Amino acid sequence: MDWAEDHHDIAIVDHDGKLVSKKRIADDPSGLAELTAVLTEAGDTAEDPIPVAIETPRGLMVAALRASGRAVYSINPMAVARYRERHSMARAKSDHVDAMTLANIIRVDGEYHRSLPADSELVQAIAVLARAQQDAVWRRTKASNELRSLLREYYPAFLATFAGKSATNLAKPEARAVLAIAPTPAHAAKLTKTRVAAALRRAGRQRGVDALAAEIVDGLRTPQMRQPNLVEKARGRQALALLATLDAGCLGADDLEQAAAEEFRKHPDYAIVTSFPGLADLTGARVLAEIGDDRGRFANDRALKAYAGSAPVTRASGKSISITHRRIKNDRLAAAGWAWAFSAMANPSPARVHYLRRRAGGDRHAAALRHLFNKMLGQLHHCLQSGQSFDPTKAFGPFPDTPPTRAAA
């Protein structure tokens, strides 16, 4: 099936690659009925459904095909282009030719491609919410970085006031509330402690409000270089526009986090996933969203590790051998795995001992975290397959009284 926005081209081939049927259908219920009729004429049955290859894993048509119980293969468009070039040096292209190419990919190399998993409806809903929440976090980070870059150009005192002992986090409710009432140094010069305290309370601050308000007023009034008056006003308007985007990103991320966690708690695998150190409601939902609950999706734990990008890649040619980390991977699962491993090794635990042992052996921080993620991901695969909860003694061995150090190694 060559997918398009409002129509799809269908091509059915037999085991010898000969065209059996072709048709263009609409992306609506009538088109689905036509597709069902064409498949039935070609010998499609409930016991032996015809597999379908398509270039996207999403959409209503894909959902309908998956609901029919047939194998649906999502083929990367880049791979389709390479297959097409095997039969045409002139780079000729048409929708019908692409549909034929997709069908022949499954006919010839079907065993090298993975069909879409038979995940439950609940885990598909968790995936929608967890991925949307992750996107919202990325948008929030982007808006925060843009706002910080703007404030550095005309309002550095604001960044210094809210930086404290670490980098400025403009996504904090207190920082956003104060910036809303004092977007420029001119506004900050007129601020009162009472007004700042009221803004902090609206942001949810309950303790030490008056002391913090006094500290903020003093910080914003610190002498600083200024832009020309009209330029400063324009920068302030720009900052308020970026602040509105940041507020929306923060609200969306928080709402989606709560929704994803609520659905995740309903899943039968919730207790197993959250038994692992570093996997709470949000991180656990992200991990489950990417690996799904189809137990036959991955042949073994090595396949899951390769999918997550935690397993190393060996390249050997003649006398040259190199071992590097994977760059082609599920980026969402890799991002969740980084947060998982970082959280697991933050507190005294067997996971932290394993991390320190890798560091003592010469691994850098990123490599040690990736190795820890790789190890725990294999353990998660085993626990999900066997229905067991995480046992740190079985996973890492006895917990030593003194963790290893680089000097001891």
Side-chain angles (χ1 to χ4, degrees):
M1 177 182 294
D2 182 66
W3 179 89
E5 185 173 340
D6 57 352
H7 67 270
H8 314 298
D9 282 85
I10 310 300
I12 302 178
V13 300
D14 60 16
H15 292 289
D16 297 324
K18 295 181 179 179
L19 181 65
V20 174
S21 178
K22 69 175 183 178
K23 193 176 186 64
R24 172 168 288 187
I25 63 172
D27 186 40
D28 56 23
S30 64
L32 178 61
E34 290 183 57
L35 173 60
T36 303
V38 171
L39 291 173
T40 302
E41 292 175 4
D44 182 73
T45 62
E47 295 75 19
D48 187 21
I50 297 175
V52 175
I54 190 171
E55 290 180 319
T56 179
R58 295 176 292 275
L60 291 172
M61 188 63 71
V62 175
L65 291 171
R66 294 180 69 180
S68 66
R70 72 185 67 253
V72 179
Y73 295 83
S74 175
I75 311 297
N76 189 292
M78 293 288 290
V80 179
R82 299 292 83 79
Y83 270 95
R84 190 192 309 119
E85 292 173 358
R86 294 169 57 187
H87 304 284
S88 174
M89 299 300 295
R91 296 181 178 270
K93 183 185 183 303
S94 69
D95 294 341
H96 171 63
V97 170
D98 284 351
M100 286 281 293
T101 302
L102 284 162
N104 281 302
I105 289 174
I106 300 304
R107 180 182 68 86
V108 177
D109 294 328
E111 66 271 20
Y112 298 110
H113 294 273
R114 182 186 291 117
S115 62
L116 295 179
D119 289 328
S120 65
E121 182 179 348
L122 177 57
V123 86
Q124 292 183 52
I126 294 172
V128 170
L129 294 170
R131 291 169 184 171
Q133 198 277 337
Q134 200 168 30
D135 289 340
V137 170
W138 289 337
R139 288 194 298 270
R140 180 181 67 189
T141 302
K142 180 176 182 293
S144 179
N145 290 339
E146 289 180 350
L147 182 57
R148 185 180 186 279
S149 179
L150 174 63
L151 291 174
R152 286 184 66 251
E153 296 182 8
Y154 81 102
Y155 201 180
F158 186 90
L159 297 176
T161 299
F162 286 92
K165 297 180 180 179
S166 61
T168 308
N169 184 4
L170 295 176
K172 288 183 177 179
E174 294 90 345
R176 291 184 283 124
V178 174
L179 184 60
I181 61 175
T184 65
H187 288 88
K190 301 176 183 178
L191 274 183
T192 62
K193 297 178 183 178
T194 302
R195 192 178 178 195
V196 173
L200 293 175
R201 290 190 176 91
R202 287 196 301 270
R205 184 84 179 193
Q206 296 180 349
R207 297 182 179 179
V209 175
D210 294 333
L212 179 59
E215 181 181 343
I216 290 174
V217 170
D218 292 339
L220 294 181
R221 291 178 178 175
T222 300
Q224 59 182 312
M225 292 184 290
R226 300 277 294 271
Q227 292 276 6
N229 186 40
L230 293 179
V231 175
E232 184 177 281
K233 289 182 178 179
R235 295 289 191 187
R237 294 293 296 272
Q238 184 183 4
L240 290 177
L242 287 175
L243 179 61
T245 302
L246 179 58
D247 286 337
C250 293
L251 179 60
D254 293 342
D255 289 346
L256 289 168
E257 178 180 350
Q258 182 179 358
E262 288 177 357
E263 295 300 317
F264 178 44
R265 295 188 195 102
K266 301 176 185 177
H267 198 276
D269 293 337
Y270 173 79
I272 296 177
V273 174
T274 54
S275 67
F276 279 76
L279 285 184
D281 286 356
L282 179 58
T283 314
R286 288 181 180 177
V287 171
L288 182 64
E290 300 309 321
I291 66 177
D293 56 4
D294 180 3
R295 297 292 187 256
R297 180 178 184 180
F298 301 100
N300 49 44
D301 61 335
R302 294 179 63 185
L304 175 57
K305 293 174 181 178
Y307 178 71
S310 60
V313 175
T314 301
R315 292 182 175 88
S317 178
K319 297 181 179 180
S320 174
I321 299 178
S322 65
I323 301 176
T324 60
H325 69 276
R326 292 178 184 264
R327 300 186 183 276
I328 306 301
K329 58 186 181 297
N330 183 320
D331 291 331
R332 293 184 183 275
L333 182 54
W338 179 275
W340 174 13
F342 190 87
S343 178
M345 73 88 187
N347 299 311
S349 65
R352 179 169 179 80
V353 172
H354 179 84
Y355 166 82
L356 293 175
R357 186 177 293 116
R358 297 296 304 185
R359 292 284 284 155
D363 281 358
R364 294 187 176 185
H365 173 67
L369 278 184
R370 188 164 52 248
H371 193 279
L372 177 59
F373 170 47
N374 188 62
K375 185 176 182 66
M376 292 194 298
L377 188 62
Q379 296 164 356
L380 176 61
H381 179 269
H382 171 75
C383 289
L384 290 174
Q385 293 288 343
S386 60
Q388 303 178 36
S389 295
F390 176 75
D391 186 341
T393 304
K394 293 182 180 179
F396 293 98
F399 183 39
D401 295 332
T402 57
T405 61
R406 188 178 296 272

